[in-house]
Amino acid sequence: MLAANHRASDTRGPEPVGSRFPPAMLSWILPLTLAVMAVACYAVTLRGGFVFDDVQNILENRWLANVRYLGEIFSSHAAGFDRQFTTSYYRPLMHVFYMLTLHLAGPVPWAFHLTNVLLHCVVTLFAYWLVSALWRRLEEPSEAWSPAAAGAFAAALFAVHPIHTEAVAWLAGITDLSFSAFFLASFLAYLKAETGGWAYSAGGAVLFLLAALCKEPGLTLLPALAVYEVARSHAHRRAFPEAAVCWKLGGYALAAVAYLGLRVWALGGFAPGNRVVRMDVTSTVLTAADLFMRYVAKLAWPFPLQALYSFQPVSSLLSWPALIGLSGVAAIAWGVWRWRHRPVLLVGASLFILPLLPVLYVPSVGEGVFAERYLYLPALGAFMMLAVPVGWAVGRGAASRVAVAVALVGALAGLAGAAVVRNAVWHDSVSLWSDTVAKNPGSETARAYLCWALSSSGRYEEAITSCNQALQFDAHRTDARESLASALAQTGRLDEAARQYEVVLNQEPAAAEALTGLGLVYMAQGRSDQAFAAYREALRVRPDYAEAHNDLGVALVEQGRIAEGLAHLEDAVHLRPLQGEYRANLQAARALRHAP
């Protein structure tokens, strides 16, 4: 009997889970509950500040100050607001989200955190609707597991899972949140186009383009839709491809071409200079397999979570990481093939695997290749697959349903509690990097970040201790040495601070940050001529360095050279229009110029 006829049959038995409420009531009870769960687990982030590089991406981002920069945003790489950096990332909508939040609420951390929390809530709701819709289209009717129940199960796990903390609590995670929202919305529009007509298909293609403009893995929706069509043809015993399907996918393909055109136009190539780590083909494949299984393990057991993971490429086929990685990938591939007659498993596997593929290519991602935020959307695919065996267990009888309910409540409570605790760690940079060093004491990078965080937060004596520890691990880390010099200067140890800056400049003569810091030390020592020389050298090697413009401007004004100082203070405000300190210095200098 065809699947369509089977769905129309009068199947008797226990009511499906999720069908005991009137449909109208169920249509808002479940989404509301899921939204509350998503917000409740991550609301603690609203008390957090700007963490790690949030200050650079937001407060030091000149693009956000005025909509006239939109053209530059869409024609530059993701870090194009600061000419010091060059990336192969093209994510213009990240800056648009930041800009909207800034203009609606101002440069206050809670507003940006609220944007992330609300986006997570939206993604959770889309996850519920998408899994329910896919279940309805791809699965046989169940006596105990309705599409709404399957969708609620997957979305509930998604809402509270602590693996999402990095994506939600870190403001830079808005790229993962926004691309996932547009990705799922586009998939829903594609499904709606099956009965709603071309308008939904066109809207879905636009949403697909927006997903890619948020983050590159948005492009993986196109192959995911192709997998869905294969699964649907199997579920409905239809031939693939159909002409209508080709037209729909063709619209998405055109959107992909439009994105690639914008990307090449903005970057000057598809991914210029993106090979961060040099690896041969064998090492790349083995490392990708190892990474994939690490992601599977981290999603299954998200403890401990940390901001930075140590990871080494795999080069030997006989090493344990290679053997475990290849065996795990082979087992998963066999499972997908073995259960290919369950179309929902095939689609779930595509939603888990495809968005992960770009970050498994280590040469283009770099040393920070393993990151929890990369599991944000893939987690939904895993939970969708998990709904299949859970649905089977629910259908085994009343005792089994009780056991599943107890286990699910316990799992959700445990995961939610872990998410709340982990969110608190992301409250500020000091707590984040203190936690990271405690969990990964051998990471010299984590120690350098902690050193910087302590110095930036005014905890100078602790910073000095932390910086010295970081330099014991690697004496050539100029970032740790610059933080040490800054902390020493703030505690009045000017000669020591100057020596540390000089060590940095011996290693990197064009380090504008060290030159500017040395200028501050010279000014405090009364060596104004040497200070001016250091500032001007910093601006020679980095003409758009706002900090050097500001410090030189202040020094010139203090020396009575107000006109010269004003020019540099105006440059500083132009480069960082959101920096309140720079604006205050400029206003004070203007007041002095007009003073009698």
Side-chain angles (χ1 to χ4, degrees):
M1 184 179 293
L2 294 178
N5 293 336
H6 182 69
R7 288 188 177 90
S9 64
D10 184 17
T11 305
R12 302 297 180 185
E15 285 187 276
V17 174
S19 65
R20 295 182 176 85
F21 296 97
M25 183 180 295
L26 194 65
S27 67
W28 64 266
I29 286 180
L30 281 178
L32 179 61
T33 302
L34 291 167
V36 170
M37 292 170 64
V39 172
C41 283
Y42 289 92
V44 68
T45 62
L46 300 181
R47 296 183 296 179
F50 293 115
V51 179
F52 192 21
D53 57 358
D54 291 338
V55 171
Q56 182 184 61
N57 289 331
I58 298 172
L59 297 182
E60 297 179 1
N61 187 345
R62 61 185 173 85
W63 284 345
L64 308 186
N66 199 306
V67 293
R68 66 186 175 88
Y69 287 114
L70 284 174
E72 193 172 337
I73 287 172
F74 279 88
S75 61
S76 304
H77 62 86
F81 59 89
D82 189 335
R83 295 185 182 89
Q84 179 188 7
F85 299 101
T86 300
T87 75
S88 59
Y89 299 135
Y90 181 58
R91 300 170 183 177
L93 289 190
M94 172 182 74
H95 302 286
V96 173
F97 274 106
Y98 286 154
M99 182 183 291
L100 287 172
T101 304
L102 177 70
H103 286 275
L104 287 172
V108 288
W110 67 263
F112 293 89
H113 285 294
L114 179 61
T115 300
N116 276 21
V117 172
L118 292 178
L119 275 172
H120 177 60
C121 180
V122 168
V123 175
T124 298
L125 293 176
F126 284 161
Y128 164 66
W129 289 319
L130 179 62
V131 174
S132 299
L134 291 171
W135 211 270
R136 191 175 297 110
R137 286 165 169 78
L138 301 177
E139 281 293 291
E140 297 287 345
S142 169
E143 295 181 347
W145 199 233
S146 71
F153 169 83
L157 286 174
F158 185 88
V160 304
H161 204 288
I163 200 68
H164 300 327
T165 300
E166 184 174 82
V168 181
W170 186 20
L171 298 180
I174 197 170
T175 56
D176 295 275
L177 301 168
S178 56
F179 110 75
S180 298
F182 287 123
F183 184 108
L184 299 181
S186 180
F187 206 142
L188 283 165
Y190 184 89
L191 298 181
K192 188 66 176 177
E194 293 174 0
T195 57
W198 67 270
Y200 284 99
S201 183
V206 172
L207 291 168
F208 169 51
L209 175 60
L210 295 177
L213 290 172
C214 288
K215 193 172 183 180
E216 293 80 1
L219 289 174
T220 61
L221 174 60
L222 185 56
L225 292 177
V227 172
Y228 162 73
E229 289 296 349
V230 171
R232 187 174 73 99
S233 67
H234 180 82
H236 295 276
R237 314 296 196 270
R238 297 175 179 172
F240 179 80
E242 302 171 1
V245 169
C246 291
W247 278 108
K248 286 195 300 180
L249 290 177
Y252 280 72
L254 287 176
V257 171
Y259 165 79
L260 293 175
L262 285 170
R263 180 183 180 88
V264 171
W265 168 64
L267 303 184
F270 177 72
N274 72 324
R275 193 172 179 85
V276 180
V277 178
R278 297 288 174 181
M279 295 172 59
D280 58 33
V281 174
T282 300
S283 182
T284 299
V285 172
L286 296 178
T287 302
D290 178 37
L291 270 176
F292 181 75
M293 292 312 300
R294 286 173 183 260
Y295 279 118
V296 172
K298 182 57 69 173
L299 185 61
W301 185 253
F303 309 100
L305 296 175
Q306 54 195 66
L308 196 65
Y309 290 85
S310 297
F311 184 78
Q312 295 294 326
V314 181
S315 56
S316 172
L317 181 62
L318 299 179
S319 64
W320 280 113
L323 294 174
I324 294 172
L326 292 175
S327 300
V329 170
I332 292 173
W334 176 86
V336 171
W337 173 257
R338 172 68 177 78
W339 293 98
R340 65 191 183 282
H341 63 284
R342 296 295 297 270
V344 75
L345 283 176
L346 188 61
V347 175
S350 73
L351 290 177
F352 177 69
I353 296 170
L354 291 174
L356 267 180
L357 288 179
V359 300
L360 298 182
Y361 184 63
V362 177
S364 66
V365 180
E367 296 177 355
V369 63
F370 189 89
E372 296 158 10
R373 64 186 180 278
Y374 296 152
L375 278 169
Y376 186 72
L377 181 60
L380 177 61
F383 300 148
M384 182 175 168
M385 289 189 288
L386 185 60
V388 173
V390 172
W392 174 85
V394 167
R396 298 290 291 175
S400 181
R401 284 196 291 276
V402 171
V404 168
V406 171
L408 180 59
V409 170
L412 290 175
L415 292 171
V420 172
V421 171
R422 182 61 187 165
N423 281 321
V425 172
W426 278 83
H427 179 270
D428 56 62
S429 293
V430 172
S431 63
L432 175 66
W433 295 114
S434 295
D435 174 84
T436 307
V437 168
K439 293 174 179 175
N440 192 357
S443 172
E444 59 192 47
T445 301
R447 289 186 176 276
Y449 285 151
L450 176 59
C451 163
W452 160 81
L454 289 166
S455 181
S456 300
S457 62
R459 297 164 62 171
Y460 301 120
E461 292 298 338
E462 294 174 79
I464 291 170
T465 300
S466 178
C467 292
N468 282 321
Q469 291 174 346
L471 291 170
Q472 287 175 2
F473 276 76
D474 183 359
H476 298 287
R477 285 206 70 109
T478 56
D479 52 354
R481 197 171 294 279
E482 285 179 16
S483 297
L484 173 60
S486 176
L488 288 168
Q490 292 294 336
T491 55
R493 290 173 253 185
L494 299 178
D495 291 338
E496 294 180 62
R499 283 195 294 271
Q500 295 298 331
Y501 280 128
E502 288 165 359
V503 172
V504 172
L505 292 170
N506 285 333
Q507 295 177 241
E508 297 181 13
E513 295 87 350
L515 287 164
T516 304
L518 189 58
L520 283 171
V521 171
Y522 287 155
M523 284 299 297
Q525 292 176 324
R527 300 156 65 182
S528 58
D529 289 342
Q530 291 172 279
F532 290 146
Y535 289 140
R536 296 191 189 283
E537 177 63 14
L539 291 173
R540 187 190 67 80
V541 299
R542 189 175 163 191
D544 60 345
Y545 186 35
E547 186 74 16
H549 279 294
N550 176 76
D551 293 349
L552 176 56
V554 169
L556 288 168
V557 170
E558 289 177 350
Q559 295 290 313
R561 299 157 65 177
I562 298 177
E564 292 179 73
L566 275 171
H568 287 286
L569 292 173
E570 288 168 352
D571 286 339
V573 171
H574 172 73
L575 291 167
R576 292 186 187 173
L578 301 178
Q579 187 65 266
E581 178 188 350
Y582 295 175
R583 292 199 306 272
N585 290 338
L586 178 59
Q587 291 171 0
R590 285 173 174 170
L592 284 174
R593 182 179 61 178
H594 296 296

